[in-house]
Amino acid sequence: MKHSLRLTLLVVGIFTSMIAWSQMTLPPNGNNQKSEVTQYLGLVKVTINYSSPDVAGREIWGKLVPYGLINLNFLRSTEQNPSPWRAGANENTTITFSNDVDVEGKSLKAGAYGLHLIPGAEDWTVIFSNSSTAWGSFSYTPTEDALRVTVKAAPCEFNEFLTYEFTDRLQNSATARLKWEKIAVPFKISVSNGDDLYIKKLREEMVSSRGFAWQNAVAAANFCATKKINLDEAMGWLNAFTNPPRNVKYFPLYNSKGNVLAAAGKQADADAVMKEAVNLPDATAGQIVNYGRALIAQKREKDAMPVFETAFKRYPANAAALVGMARGYSANGDNKKALKSAQDALKIETDPSAKTTIDGLVKKLEKGEAIN
């Protein structure tokens, strides 16, 4: 009985010791510090988790990190199933996508993936494995691949520590790059439906409390106009404020309606809305002048001049309105009147920064140069 009790206590003690040992917090194996980098592509979150070894005077490529696949002589890694490089140190380097993406033009579902590389003198293979919880590449098998892409390595500045970064960042794409020693390995990540994700989010927000603010309708509709998508619904968001029973008449709302109509190819309707917009009580000299400048950018110089005149008639002692007249005259080839308007604006402007800008316009007009 006593022998049995002593044996039980010994087993419990050993088990307790094992639990205690497994919970100790110690520096990472090989002092390869853990790192993480996150980049948003619009609404899509991309995160890379990795352990970051240093060069420490070692020869990296082709030596410490061999080219091609190698037999690690452990677990699944054999001559028949050689392993790629773990793309870092210690446990799996992982990459996580919150939404579906394209990598180098190939589709990849949302989720977490083990990131592995097959190094080459020029071409590298980037592997996204459905197994993301392994230690190193010892358990790697190609049957668990979700995607493989081939990329070109490139020389870069020296990096003592293995690092991941995101470059060439746009709303719906970026390039992830591994950099170590003097080699960089890039792979492009893009989101083919990035704009649709924003439309989905805007649609949700427009039926929430945020949809009760006309400023939010303007912001949402302008996004649609810029992207030339979801235009009918965008117009509905605006009409909810400008139509009865609300009948809200603010320049930003009407300007947004003009943007949506222009994006839909209904330029005559857009012009009619903007003609009303520039005469609304809240329309400032700056807003009216900016619309005139937009017309000049569209090569509609003659249409722009009446807009500038409207601003000047409403705000005759406003420097911005006078600058608008100068731009209108210049765009229509009347340098003399343009110079006079700019000089008048310079006389009444009080803001130092704006005064410097107007002075630059005056100097250009004095030389006979256009200012648009």
Side-chain angles (χ1 to χ4, degrees):
M1 180 71 176
K2 291 182 180 179
H3 175 76
S4 176
L5 179 60
R6 284 197 298 271
L7 181 60
T8 300
L9 291 174
L10 178 62
V11 170
V12 170
I14 293 173
F15 182 70
T16 303
S17 298
M18 290 176 65
I19 292 176
W21 177 83
S22 68
Q23 293 177 338
M24 295 299 291
T25 301
L26 297 170
N29 183 51
N31 202 33
N32 298 312
Q33 299 292 341
K34 291 187 69 63
S35 300
E36 178 180 286
V37 60
T38 292
Q39 179 62 46
Y40 280 84
L41 313 183
L43 294 176
V44 178
K45 183 180 180 181
V46 183
T47 300
I48 301 175
N49 284 280
Y50 62 102
S51 294
S52 176
D54 58 352
V55 174
R58 298 173 293 183
E59 187 174 352
I60 302 300
W61 307 118
K63 294 293 184 178
L64 181 67
V65 179
Y67 292 127
L69 297 165
I70 61 168
N71 178 11
L72 299 174
N73 292 302
F74 186 62
L75 298 178
R76 292 178 176 174
S77 186
T78 63
E79 287 296 329
Q80 292 72 36
N81 182 51
S83 300
W85 177 45
R86 71 186 76 182
N90 299 347
E91 61 264 48
N92 268 186
T93 297
T94 64
I95 185 167
T96 305
F97 306 100
S98 65
N99 298 74
D100 296 352
V101 298
D102 293 331
V103 179
E104 292 293 320
K106 296 182 178 180
S107 299
L108 187 61
K109 293 292 185 182
Y113 298 93
L115 184 62
H116 303 272
L117 294 170
I118 303 177
E122 293 184 6
D123 292 341
W124 288 54
T125 301
V126 185
I127 302 171
F128 300 85
S129 172
N130 285 311
S131 174
S132 61
T133 59
W135 180 274
S137 298
F138 300 103
S139 299
Y140 170 81
T141 174
T143 59
E144 295 175 336
D145 286 358
L147 178 68
R148 284 190 177 203
V149 297
T150 302
V151 298
K152 295 280 187 184
C156 70
E157 75 283 3
F158 179 80
N159 291 268
E160 175 67 22
F161 293 94
L162 185 151
T163 303
Y164 283 89
E165 66 177 9
F166 290 90
T167 63
D168 307 321
R169 292 179 291 184
L170 299 173
Q171 177 195 313
N172 293 322
S173 67
T175 298
R177 290 206 312 170
L178 175 149
K179 298 193 304 181
W180 197 23
E181 201 248 3
K182 292 184 178 182
I183 290 292
V185 183
F187 54 94
K188 184 176 181 179
I189 305 167
S190 55
V191 183
S192 60
N193 66 334
D195 291 342
D196 294 336
L197 294 175
Y198 271 106
I199 293 298
K200 180 182 178 183
K201 190 66 176 177
L202 291 174
R203 191 174 287 133
E204 293 171 356
E205 292 174 343
M206 286 304 297
V207 298
S208 72
S209 59
R210 297 183 184 184
F212 287 84
W214 64 264
Q215 296 90 339
N216 289 336
V218 167
N222 282 341
F223 172 80
C224 295
T226 300
K227 296 291 185 176
K228 295 187 176 182
I229 56 176
N230 201 51
L231 298 177
D232 289 341
E233 189 171 13
M235 186 58 74
W237 295 334
L238 298 169
N239 285 338
F241 290 94
T242 61
N243 289 357
R246 291 181 177 176
N247 293 313
V248 180
K249 293 186 179 296
Y250 291 142
F251 179 88
L253 274 165
Y254 277 69
N255 184 62
S256 186
K257 291 182 77 168
N259 292 338
V260 172
L261 288 167
K266 300 176 181 179
Q267 192 60 59
D269 292 337
D271 291 345
V273 167
M274 291 309 299
K275 187 174 181 180
E276 186 175 357
V278 298
N279 288 289
L280 289 173
D282 73 310
T284 66
Q287 289 171 330
I288 300 171
V289 167
N290 284 339
Y291 171 53
R293 294 190 68 184
L295 291 174
I296 291 176
Q298 297 169 23
K299 308 298 182 184
R300 300 174 61 190
E301 296 86 353
K302 293 189 182 301
D303 293 333
M305 198 66 222
V307 174
F308 293 127
E309 290 170 348
T310 297
F312 181 60
K313 287 175 184 176
R314 290 187 61 179
Y315 304 98
N318 184 286
L322 281 163
V323 169
M325 291 298 291
R327 292 190 183 279
Y329 285 132
S330 178
N332 284 280
D334 194 334
N335 187 76
K336 184 177 179 180
K337 288 184 177 180
L339 177 58
K340 174 65 167 56
S341 294
Q343 289 171 335
D344 290 345
L346 186 61
K347 292 175 185 176
I348 63 174
E349 181 58 70
T350 58
D351 180 79
S353 177
K355 205 171 183 69
T356 299
T357 300
I358 297 171
D359 185 57
L361 298 179
V362 169
K363 285 182 169 59
K364 291 185 73 174
L365 289 167
E366 287 175 340
K367 296 176 184 177
E369 299 175 0
I371 58 171
N372 293 294

